[in-house]
Amino acid sequence: EEELAATAADMAENAPKDTLELVESITTARNGMTGLVYVKAPHGWVPEYGTTTHEAEPYALPAAIAAQKRFPRRVRQKIGRRL
């Protein structure tokens, strides 16, 4: 839960804010040990990848990279020396 929320917050922080539709559409879902952070806005791919007329402004990939770096530390904190 904590990592999903942190990743969603990172995406929202990095996302373009010309309209808040993109930021407000960032959503999380969890199914057991699996979590997902995604964008409901149909145009969510445009700033991430860009187009021929719109330069890319990645917001999801940087959030995913940050989550990937944080996650092992979070696991170690949660399980401690129980392994």
Side-chain angles (χ1 to χ4, degrees):
E1 288 296 318
E2 293 172 14
E3 190 55 48
L4 289 174
T7 303
D10 286 348
M11 284 176 66
E13 183 179 323
N14 295 331
K17 301 192 181 50
D18 44 340
T19 72
L20 290 179
E21 181 184 9
L22 178 60
V23 172
E24 291 171 351
S25 76
I26 297 171
T27 306
T28 64
R30 184 172 170 213
N31 183 6
M33 297 291 289
T34 302
L36 181 66
V37 182
Y38 61 99
V39 176
K40 289 184 176 181
H43 66 282
W45 65 272
V46 173
E48 185 71 20
Y49 300 107
T51 67
T52 57
T53 60
H54 185 277
E55 188 172 331
E57 300 176 71
Y59 63 96
L61 182 59
I65 291 169
Q68 188 176 35
K69 290 178 181 177
R70 277 191 307 259
F71 190 70
R73 184 185 77 239
R74 284 188 192 270
V75 170
R76 281 192 301 275
Q77 288 173 343
K78 293 290 181 187
I79 62 173
R81 297 175 187 226
R82 289 184 262 181
L83 287 178

